[in-house]
Amino acid sequence: MGIRTGAQYIEALKSRKPEVWLNGKIVENILDEPYFKQPAQEIAKLYDMQHDPVYQDDLTVVCEETGERMATSFLMPHNYEDIMKRSKAFEVVARQTFGLMGRTPDFLNTVVTSLAQNSWFLRKYNEDWATNIENYYKHLRDNDIFLTHAIVNPQNDRSKNSHEQADKFTHLGVVEERPEGIIVRGAKMLATLAALTDEVIVYSFPGFAPGDERYALAFAVPVDVKGLKIICREPVQDGTRSTFDHPLASRYEEMDALLVFEDVLVPWDKVFLYNNVEAANLLYPMTGIAEQPAHQSGVRGYIKLKFAVEVACKVADSIGADQYLHVQRDLGELIQNTEVIRSLLRTAEHEYTITEYGEARLNPVVLETIRGMMPDMYPRTIEVMQTIGAGGLLMMPTEADFLSEELRPTIDRHYGGRAGIDAEARMKIFKLAWDLCGEAFGMRALQYERYYTGDPIRKRAIFYNKYKKDNALDLADAILMKEDTVKEPQTN
Ligand SMILES: Cc1cc2nc3c(=O)[nH]c(=O)nc-3n(C[C@H](O)[C@H](O)[C@H](O)COP(=O)(O)OP(=O)(O)OC[C@H]3O[C@@H](n4cnc5c(N)ncnc54)[C@H](O)[C@@H]3O)c2cc1C
Ligand SMILES: Nc1c(O)cccc1C(=O)O
């Protein structure tokens, strides 16, 4: 099949009836649900861009194995040129959604591509697991499948492992083995965009303990597989609010969902890991699924940070506030933060290495530095935006007010900004800002930057401990090695 069009993606959505729960009801037809309409169109646009001459050479490459075009995010990187091809594709996608949709198809395309390129790891444990992930990668690549994923146990009792939970079927695990596959039961979170995807892959970050064997698994199933409930969180917009009033929330809302598997059959050929705590704990650090998705999310995060900083600058300029020293200082800080992330990305790409298996990987220390800085930089951007927007963020007429012939003259008189910024122009800027720094949509976007890659506190601790193990503190050692021995005590 090769690359899909937006229409083919939409047709695939229409062809399925996953069990999606939204506001206490099963959604009969996803595309008839106002809430999902615009986000689905935004995803469809990404597929159409693969066929647009303006973007096709960035977003797709010709697959050497099939001769057909495939998404560039399915390209297995073997050298710097491949790395930069992927980087450009990640950026084109991110710019389309201003970095606000974190789980666009390229994210998991990158994850599964990396799992397949590192199938050697699974082969060490089980030949079938390796073959299955290699075949699954080709299935996704050749059919341009859109994946969601759920790799975190639901937040029940974080002080206990899965097998110690009060109800042993709270967390997703295997109930029984059958000739045709395994039966899985329990929940996994936090499947972003699940309702709008074709299939779901399940695996885990490290964290299993002895006794967790039945939970130590990785597999994939279609989102409409029998027994899978997709339970959505409360929507942050209802799909009917105007794009003038909510330019970002109405377009780029990424629904998150808990996945509840009620005795779901996973065929053996879609099982990538099972009943092995060691393998499950090593999957993330030993394959490229730490580094490769970090490249995609680093580029996406940079675009999102740059976008939010630009909105903050627009807010300040529109009301003449950036004439003041403290506002200039704060906005200068934000701009320098984006330059730090941009520069770190180029450094991580430039300082790539080739693994013994031929995979080109970016510098992991630099990638992890990006991931460690974003959870502070993005919230800081939102804080500055809030402090500059101040009361103006709560003083905005709606589109309906603008459309009132009676009220419009009053709005034009009282809602304008500095000279050259009329009421409509200022409100467009402030509504962008409010979607980012006031609405539930914006708060989710902030929480995304804090947690999408795991708990930032533990990630930084892991980073420090690995850095200490892998790096000599050679500068400090150099001075400490000097012969500055303690003088003998002077005897008077
Ligand atoms: C907007 C958004 C989108 C996301 N999208 C996805 C997705 O598409 N797919 C997916 O699988 N996941 C997704 N995630 C989930 C993300 O992977 C988790 O949020 C992240 O791994 C942290 O886990 P948690 O949220 O359960 O926090 P918890 O681990 O429950 O942490 C809660 C608090 O308890 C502390 N804590 C908990 N356990 C420990 C411990 N053992 N040691 C020390 N401190 C601890 C933490 O430091 C933190 O302060 C998303 C998250 C967000 C916010
Ligand atoms: N957040 C991740 C994910 O959801 C899958 C694979 C990797 C990551 C990551 O940030 O490292």
Side-chain angles (χ1 to χ4, degrees):
M1 175 182 206
I3 51 175
R4 283 195 292 186
T5 63
Q8 288 169 319
Y9 160 67
I10 294 293
E11 276 314 302
L13 282 181
K14 287 178 180 173
S15 71
R16 279 190 301 271
K17 289 183 79 66
E19 187 180 339
V20 175
W21 287 82
L22 183 75
N23 289 331
K25 294 195 295 291
I26 291 181
V27 178
E28 290 307 322
N29 292 297
I30 288 289
L31 292 166
D32 294 342
E33 169 54 55
Y35 169 79
F36 288 112
K37 268 187 179 151
Q38 192 56 42
Q41 289 307 321
E42 295 305 325
I43 299 293
K45 279 181 200 166
L46 297 176
Y47 282 105
D48 279 333
M49 287 168 68
Q50 297 186 131
H51 300 264
D52 183 333
V54 173
Y55 304 109
Q56 187 167 70
D57 287 341
D58 288 332
L59 293 180
T60 71
V61 293
V62 175
C63 174
E64 288 177 6
E65 190 178 344
T66 65
E68 292 190 315
R69 282 199 172 271
M70 67 178 184
T72 304
S73 42
F74 284 121
L75 173 67
M76 292 185 175
H78 292 100
N79 51 47
Y80 181 70
E81 184 192 4
D82 290 346
I83 284 174
M84 295 317 287
K85 260 186 202 167
R86 283 157 53 101
S87 187
K88 177 66 176 174
F90 297 153
E91 180 165 345
V92 168
V93 170
R95 284 181 176 273
Q96 185 62 23
T97 69
F98 304 95
L100 294 166
M101 295 187 99
R103 306 300 190 188
T104 42
D106 55 331
F107 180 82
L108 279 163
N109 292 356
T110 304
V111 171
V112 177
T113 299
S114 186
L115 284 172
Q117 195 169 12
N118 291 280
S119 56
W120 59 267
F121 170 74
L122 294 172
R123 190 160 274 114
K124 286 195 317 180
Y125 294 94
N126 183 308
E127 177 65 32
D128 291 343
W129 297 354
T131 304
N132 292 346
I133 196 66
E134 290 162 355
N135 291 338
Y136 191 60
Y137 158 73
K138 292 173 185 173
H139 164 64
L140 299 183
R141 177 196 70 191
D142 299 342
N143 295 285
D144 212 5
I145 297 292
F146 182 17
L147 272 193
T148 185
H149 71 317
I151 62 176
V152 179
N153 291 321
Q155 248 183 17
N156 305 115
D157 183 342
R158 285 293 193 236
S159 68
K160 292 182 170 56
N161 294 305
S162 292
H163 73 278
E164 297 165 327
Q165 298 294 321
D167 170 355
K168 70 176 183 178
F169 292 122
T170 299
H171 296 176
L172 179 62
V174 175
V175 177
E176 64 173 293
E177 294 183 11
R178 289 188 187 161
E180 65 273 31
I182 54 175
I183 301 295
V184 296
R185 185 188 300 169
K188 210 78 178 180
M189 76 181 212
L190 182 153
T192 299
L193 283 173
L196 295 180
T197 61
D198 303 303
E199 301 187 17
V200 51
I201 185 170
V202 172
Y203 54 94
S204 291
F205 281 149
F208 293 102
D212 282 339
E213 282 71 17
R214 58 186 294 278
Y215 305 96
L217 73 159
F219 65 86
V221 288
V223 286
D224 60 346
V225 67
K226 184 174 178 299
L228 175 58
K229 277 185 170 57
I230 299 173
I231 305 175
C232 298
R233 62 164 160 75
E234 181 182 3
V236 296
Q237 56 92 16
D238 62 6
T240 61
R241 293 191 298 178
S242 85
T243 51
F244 177 84
D245 288 330
H246 295 282
L248 304 174
S250 59
R251 291 185 171 94
Y252 306 121
E253 151 69 325
E254 280 189 317
M255 176 47 81
D256 305 301
L258 182 75
L259 301 187
V260 180
F261 296 78
E262 293 174 336
D263 291 8
V264 170
L265 170 63
V266 180
W268 284 114
D269 69 350
K270 292 294 188 306
V271 174
F272 311 129
L273 190 156
Y274 164 47
N275 200 26
N276 191 310
V277 162
E278 179 192 271
N281 281 335
L282 291 176
L283 183 75
Y284 184 81
M286 293 302 288
T287 64
I289 63 171
E291 291 85 356
Q292 302 296 6
H295 187 195
Q296 187 275 351
S297 45
V299 172
R300 180 212 48 81
Y302 162 64
I303 294 297
K304 178 173 170 181
L305 184 69
K306 181 174 167 56
F307 172 64
V309 168
E310 291 182 4
V311 172
C313 293
K314 284 279 188 185
V315 166
D317 169 69
S318 70
I319 55 173
D322 62 353
Q323 299 306 307
Y324 299 109
L325 182 64
H326 68 291
V327 174
Q328 293 165 0
R329 176 204 61 195
D330 289 352
L331 293 176
E333 173 198 338
L334 299 187
I335 293 167
Q336 288 175 346
N337 283 350
T338 63
E339 284 303 295
V340 166
I341 299 299
R342 185 182 65 82
S343 307
L344 286 171
L345 273 172
R346 296 296 89 85
T347 301
E349 290 160 347
H350 182 72
E351 294 178 354
Y352 74 97
T353 54
I354 308 287
T355 70
E356 62 182 295
Y357 301 98
E359 178 194 15
R361 286 191 190 174
L362 284 69
N363 180 328
V365 172
V366 180
L367 279 176
E368 211 49 51
T369 301
I370 293 171
R371 286 210 291 215
M373 299 180 93
M374 282 294 286
D376 295 327
M377 285 182 173
Y378 188 80
R380 172 64 179 151
T381 304
I382 298 306
E383 179 190 29
V384 169
M385 193 184 292
Q386 289 168 335
T387 57
I388 296 172
L393 292 166
L394 284 304
M395 206 73 273
M396 291 185 275
T398 63
E399 181 180 34
D401 294 318
F402 271 91
L403 295 176
S404 157
E405 286 183 15
E406 180 187 352
L407 194 57
R408 183 62 190 261
T410 305
I411 287 175
D412 287 339
R413 188 179 311 124
H414 296 289
Y415 285 92
R418 64 159 173 77
I421 300 282
D422 65 18
E424 185 173 342
R426 183 164 89 82
M427 286 304 107
K428 285 185 78 167
I429 293 168
F430 269 64
K431 287 175 183 287
L432 271 181
W434 184 245
D435 264 4
L436 287 176
C437 75
E439 280 280 300
F441 170 83
M443 290 307 101
R444 175 194 178 275
L446 185 151
Q447 199 70 340
Y448 186 95
E449 293 315 318
R450 277 204 182 103
Y451 283 106
Y452 82 89
T453 183
D455 174 9
I457 294 166
R458 281 173 277 165
K459 294 275 287 200
R460 184 164 284 174
I462 292 165
F463 170 82
Y464 167 72
N465 289 314
K466 187 170 187 331
Y467 187 88
K468 181 182 177 183
K469 183 169 70 68
D470 296 347
N471 294 271
L473 305 179
D474 53 357
L475 285 173
D477 287 338
I479 190 72
L480 293 170
M481 301 290 278
K482 287 192 179 308
E483 294 302 315
D484 301 342
T485 49
V486 174
K487 301 280 186 295
E488 287 299 317
Q490 299 300 324
T491 50
N492 297 326

